[in-house]
Amino acid sequence: MEKPIAVVTGANRGIGMEICRQLAHKDVTVILTARDEVKGEAATSILAKENCDVQFYQLDITCADQIQKLIDYVQSKFQRLDILVNNAGVYLDQELSPLSINADTIRQSIETDVCGTFSMSKAVIPLMKKNNYGRIVNLSSTLSFSVNMNDGVGLSYKICKAAINVMTAVLSDAVKDYNILINAAAPGWVRTDMGGEQAPFSLKEGAETPVWLATLPDNSPSGGLFFNRERLLW
Ligand code: NAP
């Protein structure tokens, strides 16, 4: 089999960058994308020094033109795309009560976390269909669970991650005849800029579930949310 090609979004730092590292260690050619060119190039160069097969492409997932340019690039350079990890995300109301935000906070969050994830998935599916192979992984969170709605903060983030669970299930059904598996990953509470220093999980641990889902064999589950190789009910 040819070396698989993967695109990872929001990969200049945190879990996304670690997903690139772990995929490269599994002999995948990785296109590390980030909206900030300088930060993206810097992350790529760190991984390249570790002998990872990683290249950079600039991508803001809220920008339709940039998504199309990436697809054209992948099509002309590789003629295939095997893996998409929708990692990019924002947590705009991490410490804010729902009564202190306004609808713009929710709108902005949805623009990135939901619409960006959807637009990326929709854009890569035709490329995946051509090869009758694809793995799409959406970064969700246990904060989308109905039992986690009472800590007083994070309404916009919870709306987005719940929407990602729904999107994962509905889109996976739409591509079930093409050997394209779409799953959501809960990485756990991970030490990143978003997760903070007190989080219990390392980057390495946080990237394990998304990388496992990105490299699932044929006939594996699709449409679910997983943590630590176990399906979770939301
Ligand atoms: P992070 O350190 O804040 O990194 C988020 C990444 O997303 C950054 O690279 C950021 O780029 C990028 N990004 C944001 N908006 C973007 C856009 N419009 N286009 C492209 N990239 C964009 O977060 P993380 O902790 O690594 O989290 C990664 C994913 O895991 C997120 O989806 C998050 O919700 C999810 N998650 C994290 C945890 C946790 O405990 N850390 C738990 C559950 C789920 P800039 O550097 O340019 O801002």
Side-chain angles (χ1 to χ4, degrees):
M1 183 183 160
E2 282 179 81
K3 206 171 161 180
I5 312 293
V7 164
V8 183
T9 67
N12 52 289
R13 61 183 156 100
I15 298 169
M17 182 176 169
E18 178 61 24
I19 290 170
C20 293
R21 178 182 279 119
Q22 291 188 20
L23 284 174
H25 288 168
K26 287 181 174 291
D27 210 23
V28 173
T29 297
V30 181
I31 304 166
L32 180 159
T33 70
R35 59 181 166 179
D36 183 305
E37 194 164 358
V38 174
K39 291 184 198 167
E41 293 279 17
T44 305
S45 121
I46 290 169
L47 295 180
K49 283 185 190 134
E50 298 172 14
N51 289 323
C52 295
D53 180 5
V54 176
Q55 49 189 273
F56 172 66
Y57 203 90
Q58 196 209 345
L59 175 70
D60 182 330
I61 61 163
T62 64
C63 179
D65 287 353
Q66 292 186 18
I67 293 177
Q68 190 53 52
K69 275 190 190 148
L70 170 74
I71 299 300
D72 293 345
Y73 167 75
V74 172
Q75 168 67 45
S76 69
K77 178 139 190 198
F78 302 104
Q79 297 83 50
R80 61 186 294 127
L81 183 67
D82 304 287
I83 297 167
L84 167 68
V85 182
N86 282 310
N87 167 79
V90 293
Y91 193 168
L92 302 179
D93 53 350
Q94 191 156 17
E95 286 169 12
L96 298 177
S97 144
L99 300 180
S100 69
I101 64 169
N102 55 41
D104 277 341
T105 312
I106 297 178
R107 239 176 250 120
Q108 281 169 31
S109 305
I110 290 176
E111 186 62 25
T112 303
D113 295 4
V114 182
C115 298
T117 296
F118 174 70
S119 301
M120 281 301 297
S121 303
K122 184 136 188 273
V124 303
I125 283 171
L127 262 176
M128 292 179 166
K129 269 184 173 177
K130 276 206 304 194
N131 288 322
N132 206 47
Y133 183 93
R135 303 290 181 261
I136 299 178
V137 183
N138 299 325
L139 269 286
S140 182
S141 165
T142 51
L143 288 178
S144 65
F145 290 4
S146 56
V147 293
N148 286 333
M149 295 298 147
N150 301 320
D151 61 3
V153 295
L155 173 64
S156 75
Y157 188 74
K158 289 168 181 170
I159 287 173
C160 290
K161 293 306 187 186
I164 281 179
N165 298 343
V166 172
M167 191 195 316
T168 301
V170 175
L171 266 188
S172 75
D173 191 61
V175 295
K176 65 178 185 301
D177 296 334
Y178 300 93
N179 191 23
I180 300 173
L181 306 178
I182 307 183
N183 286 294
W189 183 17
V190 184
R191 289 187 294 280
T192 63
D193 288 7
M194 186 187 289
E197 287 171 5
Q198 71 279 35
F201 292 116
S202 65
L203 280 177
K204 185 168 178 294
E205 291 168 318
E208 269 164 13
T209 297
V211 168
W212 170 67
L213 290 170
T215 53
L216 284 177
D218 292 352
N219 302 312
S220 294
S222 187
L225 167 63
F226 291 83
F227 172 64
N228 236 351
R229 306 193 175 209
E230 291 204 11
R231 190 166 185 160
L232 306 177
L233 295 177
W234 36 275

PDB file of all heavy atoms in Angstrom, residues 65-91:
ATOM      1  N   ASP A  65     -11.855  29.901   0.719  1.00  0.00           N
ATOM      2  CA  ASP A  65     -10.818  29.959  -0.331  1.00  0.00           C
ATOM      3  C   ASP A  65      -9.595  29.141   0.057  1.00  0.00           C
ATOM      4  O   ASP A  65      -8.989  28.452  -0.770  1.00  0.00           O
ATOM      5  CB  ASP A  65     -10.346  31.410  -0.554  1.00  0.00           C
ATOM      6  CG  ASP A  65     -11.403  32.215  -1.267  1.00  0.00           C
ATOM      7  OD1 ASP A  65     -12.400  31.601  -1.687  1.00  0.00           O
ATOM      8  OD2 ASP A  65     -11.224  33.438  -1.387  1.00  0.00           O
ATOM      9  N   GLN A  66      -9.210  29.259   1.332  1.00  0.00           N
ATOM     10  CA  GLN A  66      -8.013  28.524   1.796  1.00  0.00           C
ATOM     11  C   GLN A  66      -8.277  27.020   1.805  1.00  0.00           C
ATOM     12  O   GLN A  66      -7.381  26.231   1.491  1.00  0.00           O
ATOM     13  CB  GLN A  66      -7.589  29.022   3.175  1.00  0.00           C
ATOM     14  CG  GLN A  66      -7.064  30.447   3.137  1.00  0.00           C
ATOM     15  CD  GLN A  66      -6.506  30.919   4.474  1.00  0.00           C
ATOM     16  OE1 GLN A  66      -6.200  30.130   5.361  1.00  0.00           O
ATOM     17  NE2 GLN A  66      -6.360  32.221   4.610  1.00  0.00           N
ATOM     18  N   ILE A  67      -9.481  26.622   2.146  1.00  0.00           N
ATOM     19  CA  ILE A  67      -9.812  25.188   2.109  1.00  0.00           C
ATOM     20  C   ILE A  67      -9.695  24.678   0.667  1.00  0.00           C
ATOM     21  O   ILE A  67      -9.085  23.647   0.406  1.00  0.00           O
ATOM     22  CB  ILE A  67     -11.232  24.925   2.677  1.00  0.00           C
ATOM     23  CG1 ILE A  67     -11.267  25.226   4.187  1.00  0.00           C
ATOM     24  CG2 ILE A  67     -11.663  23.482   2.400  1.00  0.00           C
ATOM     25  CD1 ILE A  67     -12.635  25.073   4.832  1.00  0.00           C
ATOM     26  N   GLN A  68     -10.235  25.441  -0.271  1.00  0.00           N
ATOM     27  CA  GLN A  68     -10.183  25.008  -1.673  1.00  0.00           C
ATOM     28  C   GLN A  68      -8.746  24.930  -2.183  1.00  0.00           C
ATOM     29  O   GLN A  68      -8.377  23.989  -2.891  1.00  0.00           O
ATOM     30  CB  GLN A  68     -11.017  25.959  -2.553  1.00  0.00           C
ATOM     31  CG  GLN A  68     -11.216  25.437  -3.967  1.00  0.00           C
ATOM     32  CD  GLN A  68     -11.800  24.005  -3.999  1.00  0.00           C
ATOM     33  OE1 GLN A  68     -12.819  23.727  -3.363  1.00  0.00           O
ATOM     34  NE2 GLN A  68     -11.145  23.089  -4.715  1.00  0.00           N
ATOM     35  N   LYS A  69      -7.911  25.915  -1.769  1.00  0.00           N
ATOM     36  CA  LYS A  69      -6.496  25.882  -2.196  1.00  0.00           C
ATOM     37  C   LYS A  69      -5.797  24.630  -1.664  1.00  0.00           C
ATOM     38  O   LYS A  69      -4.996  24.007  -2.361  1.00  0.00           O
ATOM     39  CB  LYS A  69      -5.760  27.127  -1.681  1.00  0.00           C
ATOM     40  CG  LYS A  69      -5.915  28.314  -2.587  1.00  0.00           C
ATOM     41  CD  LYS A  69      -4.978  29.429  -2.154  1.00  0.00           C
ATOM     42  CE  LYS A  69      -5.305  30.689  -2.915  1.00  0.00           C
ATOM     43  NZ  LYS A  69      -5.069  31.910  -2.194  1.00  0.00           N
ATOM     44  N   LEU A  70      -6.089  24.302  -0.414  1.00  0.00           N
ATOM     45  CA  LEU A  70      -5.476  23.097   0.166  1.00  0.00           C
ATOM     46  C   LEU A  70      -5.900  21.851  -0.622  1.00  0.00           C
ATOM     47  O   LEU A  70      -5.069  20.995  -0.948  1.00  0.00           O
ATOM     48  CB  LEU A  70      -5.879  22.955   1.646  1.00  0.00           C
ATOM     49  CG  LEU A  70      -5.484  21.612   2.264  1.00  0.00           C
ATOM     50  CD1 LEU A  70      -3.976  21.536   2.516  1.00  0.00           C
ATOM     51  CD2 LEU A  70      -6.234  21.351   3.566  1.00  0.00           C
ATOM     52  N   ILE A  71      -7.190  21.757  -0.917  1.00  0.00           N
ATOM     53  CA  ILE A  71      -7.686  20.580  -1.653  1.00  0.00           C
ATOM     54  C   ILE A  71      -7.001  20.497  -3.024  1.00  0.00           C
ATOM     55  O   ILE A  71      -6.549  19.427  -3.455  1.00  0.00           O
ATOM     56  CB  ILE A  71      -9.229  20.642  -1.821  1.00  0.00           C
ATOM     57  CG1 ILE A  71      -9.909  20.639  -0.452  1.00  0.00           C
ATOM     58  CG2 ILE A  71      -9.743  19.507  -2.700  1.00  0.00           C
ATOM     59  CD1 ILE A  71      -9.644  19.436   0.417  1.00  0.00           C
ATOM     60  N   ASP A  72      -6.889  21.651  -3.712  1.00  0.00           N
ATOM     61  CA  ASP A  72      -6.232  21.656  -5.031  1.00  0.00           C
ATOM     62  C   ASP A  72      -4.777  21.203  -4.910  1.00  0.00           C
ATOM     63  O   ASP A  72      -4.272  20.449  -5.745  1.00  0.00           O
ATOM     64  CB  ASP A  72      -6.275  23.069  -5.647  1.00  0.00           C
ATOM     65  CG  ASP A  72      -7.695  23.491  -5.992  1.00  0.00           C
ATOM     66  OD1 ASP A  72      -8.583  22.611  -6.024  1.00  0.00           O
ATOM     67  OD2 ASP A  72      -7.917  24.697  -6.203  1.00  0.00           O
ATOM     68  N   TYR A  73      -4.099  21.677  -3.844  1.00  0.00           N
ATOM     69  CA  TYR A  73      -2.700  21.300  -3.611  1.00  0.00           C
ATOM     70  C   TYR A  73      -2.575  19.788  -3.382  1.00  0.00           C
ATOM     71  O   TYR A  73      -1.738  19.108  -3.998  1.00  0.00           O
ATOM     72  CB  TYR A  73      -2.165  22.083  -2.411  1.00  0.00           C
ATOM     73  CG  TYR A  73      -0.856  21.579  -1.872  1.00  0.00           C
ATOM     74  CD1 TYR A  73       0.340  21.833  -2.541  1.00  0.00           C
ATOM     75  CD2 TYR A  73      -0.806  20.834  -0.687  1.00  0.00           C
ATOM     76  CE1 TYR A  73       1.549  21.359  -2.048  1.00  0.00           C
ATOM     77  CE2 TYR A  73       0.394  20.360  -0.195  1.00  0.00           C
ATOM     78  CZ  TYR A  73       1.561  20.622  -0.874  1.00  0.00           C
ATOM     79  OH  TYR A  73       2.746  20.151  -0.392  1.00  0.00           O
ATOM     80  N   VAL A  74      -3.424  19.258  -2.514  1.00  0.00           N
ATOM     81  CA  VAL A  74      -3.357  17.822  -2.201  1.00  0.00           C
ATOM     82  C   VAL A  74      -3.666  17.003  -3.455  1.00  0.00           C
ATOM     83  O   VAL A  74      -2.981  16.022  -3.762  1.00  0.00           O
ATOM     84  CB  VAL A  74      -4.355  17.470  -1.059  1.00  0.00           C
ATOM     85  CG1 VAL A  74      -4.438  15.962  -0.858  1.00  0.00           C
ATOM     86  CG2 VAL A  74      -3.948  18.152   0.233  1.00  0.00           C
ATOM     87  N   GLN A  75      -4.667  17.453  -4.195  1.00  0.00           N
ATOM     88  CA  GLN A  75      -5.057  16.744  -5.424  1.00  0.00           C
ATOM     89  C   GLN A  75      -3.892  16.723  -6.417  1.00  0.00           C
ATOM     90  O   GLN A  75      -3.556  15.678  -6.978  1.00  0.00           O
ATOM     91  CB  GLN A  75      -6.287  17.451  -6.021  1.00  0.00           C
ATOM     92  CG  GLN A  75      -6.652  17.032  -7.418  1.00  0.00           C
ATOM     93  CD  GLN A  75      -7.137  15.588  -7.467  1.00  0.00           C
ATOM     94  OE1 GLN A  75      -7.939  15.162  -6.645  1.00  0.00           O
ATOM     95  NE2 GLN A  75      -6.623  14.814  -8.417  1.00  0.00           N
ATOM     96  N   SER A  76      -3.238  17.887  -6.625  1.00  0.00           N
ATOM     97  CA  SER A  76      -2.194  17.922  -7.647  1.00  0.00           C
ATOM     98  C   SER A  76      -0.910  17.243  -7.168  1.00  0.00           C
ATOM     99  O   SER A  76      -0.222  16.609  -7.939  1.00  0.00           O
ATOM    100  CB  SER A  76      -1.918  19.358  -8.103  1.00  0.00           C
ATOM    101  OG  SER A  76      -1.311  20.059  -7.061  1.00  0.00           O
ATOM    102  N   LYS A  77      -0.604  17.345  -5.877  1.00  0.00           N
ATOM    103  CA  LYS A  77       0.661  16.773  -5.411  1.00  0.00           C
ATOM    104  C   LYS A  77       0.553  15.267  -5.108  1.00  0.00           C
ATOM    105  O   LYS A  77       1.482  14.508  -5.381  1.00  0.00           O
ATOM    106  CB  LYS A  77       1.124  17.520  -4.155  1.00  0.00           C
ATOM    107  CG  LYS A  77       2.385  16.965  -3.572  1.00  0.00           C
ATOM    108  CD  LYS A  77       3.354  17.997  -3.088  1.00  0.00           C
ATOM    109  CE  LYS A  77       4.665  17.330  -2.754  1.00  0.00           C
ATOM    110  NZ  LYS A  77       5.526  18.096  -1.918  1.00  0.00           N
ATOM    111  N   PHE A  78      -0.565  14.839  -4.536  1.00  0.00           N
ATOM    112  CA  PHE A  78      -0.648  13.436  -4.075  1.00  0.00           C
ATOM    113  C   PHE A  78      -1.740  12.622  -4.796  1.00  0.00           C
ATOM    114  O   PHE A  78      -1.764  11.402  -4.700  1.00  0.00           O
ATOM    115  CB  PHE A  78      -0.926  13.378  -2.569  1.00  0.00           C
ATOM    116  CG  PHE A  78       0.115  14.078  -1.738  1.00  0.00           C
ATOM    117  CD1 PHE A  78      -0.148  15.324  -1.183  1.00  0.00           C
ATOM    118  CD2 PHE A  78       1.347  13.490  -1.496  1.00  0.00           C
ATOM    119  CE1 PHE A  78       0.809  15.975  -0.409  1.00  0.00           C
ATOM    120  CE2 PHE A  78       2.300  14.127  -0.722  1.00  0.00           C
ATOM    121  CZ  PHE A  78       2.038  15.377  -0.178  1.00  0.00           C
ATOM    122  N   GLN A  79      -2.709  13.316  -5.403  1.00  0.00           N
ATOM    123  CA  GLN A  79      -3.868  12.663  -6.047  1.00  0.00           C
ATOM    124  C   GLN A  79      -4.666  11.802  -5.066  1.00  0.00           C
ATOM    125  O   GLN A  79      -5.421  10.917  -5.459  1.00  0.00           O
ATOM    126  CB  GLN A  79      -3.459  11.785  -7.253  1.00  0.00           C
ATOM    127  CG  GLN A  79      -2.821  12.527  -8.402  1.00  0.00           C
ATOM    128  CD  GLN A  79      -1.346  12.777  -8.194  1.00  0.00           C
ATOM    129  OE1 GLN A  79      -0.608  11.854  -7.873  1.00  0.00           O
ATOM    130  NE2 GLN A  79      -0.908  14.015  -8.347  1.00  0.00           N
ATOM    131  N   ARG A  80      -4.489  12.023  -3.762  1.00  0.00           N
ATOM    132  CA  ARG A  80      -5.250  11.230  -2.794  1.00  0.00           C
ATOM    133  C   ARG A  80      -5.221  11.913  -1.436  1.00  0.00           C
ATOM    134  O   ARG A  80      -4.324  12.722  -1.157  1.00  0.00           O
ATOM    135  CB  ARG A  80      -4.655   9.836  -2.656  1.00  0.00           C
ATOM    136  CG  ARG A  80      -3.207   9.845  -2.152  1.00  0.00           C
ATOM    137  CD  ARG A  80      -2.569   8.487  -2.140  1.00  0.00           C
ATOM    138  NE  ARG A  80      -3.193   7.604  -1.175  1.00  0.00           N
ATOM    139  CZ  ARG A  80      -3.657   6.391  -1.477  1.00  0.00           C
ATOM    140  NH1 ARG A  80      -3.547   5.926  -2.706  1.00  0.00           N
ATOM    141  NH2 ARG A  80      -4.203   5.636  -0.548  1.00  0.00           N
ATOM    142  N   LEU A  81      -6.172  11.575  -0.606  1.00  0.00           N
ATOM    143  CA  LEU A  81      -6.104  11.971   0.802  1.00  0.00           C
ATOM    144  C   LEU A  81      -6.734  10.851   1.611  1.00  0.00           C
ATOM    145  O   LEU A  81      -7.866  10.452   1.362  1.00  0.00           O
ATOM    146  CB  LEU A  81      -6.828  13.297   1.071  1.00  0.00           C
ATOM    147  CG  LEU A  81      -6.710  13.753   2.530  1.00  0.00           C
ATOM    148  CD1 LEU A  81      -5.263  14.113   2.869  1.00  0.00           C
ATOM    149  CD2 LEU A  81      -7.607  14.930   2.826  1.00  0.00           C
ATOM    150  N   ASP A  82      -5.987  10.337   2.559  1.00  0.00           N
ATOM    151  CA  ASP A  82      -6.452   9.178   3.325  1.00  0.00           C
ATOM    152  C   ASP A  82      -7.030   9.556   4.684  1.00  0.00           C
ATOM    153  O   ASP A  82      -7.936   8.880   5.178  1.00  0.00           O
ATOM    154  CB  ASP A  82      -5.275   8.206   3.520  1.00  0.00           C
ATOM    155  CG  ASP A  82      -4.682   7.801   2.194  1.00  0.00           C
ATOM    156  OD1 ASP A  82      -5.340   7.019   1.485  1.00  0.00           O
ATOM    157  OD2 ASP A  82      -3.604   8.308   1.827  1.00  0.00           O
ATOM    158  N   ILE A  83      -6.460  10.607   5.288  1.00  0.00           N
ATOM    159  CA  ILE A  83      -6.825  10.935   6.680  1.00  0.00           C
ATOM    160  C   ILE A  83      -7.030  12.437   6.817  1.00  0.00           C
ATOM    161  O   ILE A  83      -6.213  13.229   6.335  1.00  0.00           O
ATOM    162  CB  ILE A  83      -5.691  10.501   7.638  1.00  0.00           C
ATOM    163  CG1 ILE A  83      -5.487   8.981   7.602  1.00  0.00           C
ATOM    164  CG2 ILE A  83      -5.964  10.990   9.059  1.00  0.00           C
ATOM    165  CD1 ILE A  83      -4.190   8.509   8.267  1.00  0.00           C
ATOM    166  N   LEU A  84      -8.106  12.812   7.498  1.00  0.00           N
ATOM    167  CA  LEU A  84      -8.294  14.205   7.922  1.00  0.00           C
ATOM    168  C   LEU A  84      -8.534  14.197   9.426  1.00  0.00           C
ATOM    169  O   LEU A  84      -9.433  13.488   9.906  1.00  0.00           O
ATOM    170  CB  LEU A  84      -9.505  14.845   7.228  1.00  0.00           C
ATOM    171  CG  LEU A  84      -9.964  16.179   7.849  1.00  0.00           C
ATOM    172  CD1 LEU A  84      -8.926  17.286   7.633  1.00  0.00           C
ATOM    173  CD2 LEU A  84     -11.320  16.612   7.273  1.00  0.00           C
ATOM    174  N   VAL A  85      -7.741  14.968  10.164  1.00  0.00           N
ATOM    175  CA  VAL A  85      -8.017  15.145  11.595  1.00  0.00           C
ATOM    176  C   VAL A  85      -8.467  16.583  11.801  1.00  0.00           C
ATOM    177  O   VAL A  85      -7.688  17.530  11.640  1.00  0.00           O
ATOM    178  CB  VAL A  85      -6.797  14.823  12.477  1.00  0.00           C
ATOM    179  CG1 VAL A  85      -7.172  14.983  13.950  1.00  0.00           C
ATOM    180  CG2 VAL A  85      -6.298  13.405  12.218  1.00  0.00           C
ATOM    181  N   ASN A  86      -9.750  16.745  12.130  1.00  0.00           N
ATOM    182  CA  ASN A  86     -10.322  18.061  12.423  1.00  0.00           C
ATOM    183  C   ASN A  86     -10.029  18.388  13.883  1.00  0.00           C
ATOM    184  O   ASN A  86     -10.842  18.126  14.778  1.00  0.00           O
ATOM    185  CB  ASN A  86     -11.833  18.036  12.166  1.00  0.00           C
ATOM    186  CG  ASN A  86     -12.182  18.127  10.701  1.00  0.00           C
ATOM    187  OD1 ASN A  86     -11.676  19.005  10.002  1.00  0.00           O
ATOM    188  ND2 ASN A  86     -13.037  17.222  10.232  1.00  0.00           N
ATOM    189  N   ASN A  87      -8.839  18.952  14.098  1.00  0.00           N
ATOM    190  CA  ASN A  87      -8.388  19.237  15.461  1.00  0.00           C
ATOM    191  C   ASN A  87      -8.617  20.694  15.862  1.00  0.00           C
ATOM    192  O   ASN A  87      -8.847  20.983  17.038  1.00  0.00           O
ATOM    193  CB  ASN A  87      -6.894  18.899  15.562  1.00  0.00           C
ATOM    194  CG  ASN A  87      -6.266  19.445  16.822  1.00  0.00           C
ATOM    195  OD1 ASN A  87      -6.415  18.874  17.902  1.00  0.00           O
ATOM    196  ND2 ASN A  87      -5.581  20.591  16.709  1.00  0.00           N
ATOM    197  N   ALA A  88      -8.542  21.619  14.900  1.00  0.00           N
ATOM    198  CA  ALA A  88      -8.604  23.051  15.220  1.00  0.00           C
ATOM    199  C   ALA A  88      -9.878  23.370  15.996  1.00  0.00           C
ATOM    200  O   ALA A  88     -10.960  22.886  15.663  1.00  0.00           O
ATOM    201  CB  ALA A  88      -8.566  23.876  13.935  1.00  0.00           C
ATOM    202  N   GLY A  89      -9.728  24.170  17.049  1.00  0.00           N
ATOM    203  CA  GLY A  89     -10.902  24.538  17.816  1.00  0.00           C
ATOM    204  C   GLY A  89     -10.621  25.717  18.715  1.00  0.00           C
ATOM    205  O   GLY A  89      -9.464  26.038  19.007  1.00  0.00           O
ATOM    206  N   VAL A  90     -11.685  26.390  19.128  1.00  0.00           N
ATOM    207  CA  VAL A  90     -11.561  27.501  20.077  1.00  0.00           C
ATOM    208  C   VAL A  90     -12.480  27.248  21.269  1.00  0.00           C
ATOM    209  O   VAL A  90     -13.492  26.560  21.144  1.00  0.00           O
ATOM    210  CB  VAL A  90     -11.927  28.854  19.421  1.00  0.00           C
ATOM    211  CG1 VAL A  90     -10.901  29.237  18.363  1.00  0.00           C
ATOM    212  CG2 VAL A  90     -13.330  28.834  18.818  1.00  0.00           C
ATOM    213  N   TYR A  91     -12.064  27.790  22.406  1.00  0.00           N
ATOM    214  CA  TYR A  91     -12.877  27.675  23.630  1.00  0.00           C
ATOM    215  C   TYR A  91     -13.002  29.089  24.175  1.00  0.00           C
ATOM    216  O   TYR A  91     -12.242  29.515  25.031  1.00  0.00           O
ATOM    217  CB  TYR A  91     -12.151  26.753  24.614  1.00  0.00           C
ATOM    218  CG  TYR A  91     -12.972  26.276  25.805  1.00  0.00           C
ATOM    219  CD1 TYR A  91     -12.507  25.251  26.621  1.00  0.00           C
ATOM    220  CD2 TYR A  91     -14.203  26.842  26.119  1.00  0.00           C
ATOM    221  CE1 TYR A  91     -13.240  24.794  27.703  1.00  0.00           C
ATOM    222  CE2 TYR A  91     -14.942  26.394  27.200  1.00  0.00           C
ATOM    223  CZ  TYR A  91     -14.452  25.359  27.984  1.00  0.00           C
ATOM    224  OH  TYR A  91     -15.175  24.921  29.064  1.00  0.00           O
TER     225      TYR A  91
END
